[in-house]
Amino acid sequence: MTHDELIKKMLSNPAVKAEYDSLEEEFTLLDELLKARKKAGLTQAQVAERMGTKATAITRLERALVSGTQGPSYTTLKKYAAAVGKKLQIRLV
């Protein structure tokens, strides 16, 4: 079974689909963070250094978004954005 086939099969389960959908915002934020870091050509360690923290903190930040656990604070996101040469912008839609 391919990865895409497995995803399709798993998402056909209503309980799995509901949980997956509930994490949409976290996945969107994670995608934005990863795109910004890659566009800046930085590793997690380099972002951490610019933020004044350790690489493990960046790993935990990115992993937390995938797992749906405690998300990063506004201050942390602002520091991350600055570290990758971006500005944090939050909108209610």
Side-chain angles (χ1 to χ4, degrees):
M1 180 178 293
T2 68
H3 182 261
D4 289 340
E5 290 170 338
L6 177 62
I7 296 293
K8 185 176 181 179
K9 180 180 178 180
M10 294 302 295
L11 292 177
S12 68
N13 178 324
V16 172
K17 175 80 166 109
E19 185 65 26
Y20 178 84
D21 289 345
S22 76
L23 295 172
E24 180 182 1
E25 292 170 348
E26 285 85 352
F27 285 130
T28 300
L29 177 56
L30 177 61
D31 285 344
E32 289 293 319
L33 295 177
L34 295 176
K35 283 179 194 175
R37 181 165 59 81
K38 289 178 183 178
K39 186 174 181 181
L42 299 171
T43 64
Q44 287 181 335
Q46 291 167 319
V47 171
E49 184 178 331
R50 290 178 178 200
M51 289 177 66
T53 190
K54 298 182 188 242
T56 54
I58 303 306
T59 301
R60 281 192 310 272
L61 181 152
E62 292 176 355
R63 191 172 292 146
L65 291 170
V66 173
S67 66
T69 58
Q70 180 67 33
S73 69
Y74 173 79
T75 301
T76 299
L77 290 173
K78 193 172 171 182
K79 287 179 184 178
Y80 190 104
V84 296
K86 299 288 184 182
K87 182 178 171 184
L88 179 64
Q89 183 181 67
I90 297 176
R91 294 179 282 156
L92 298 176
V93 293

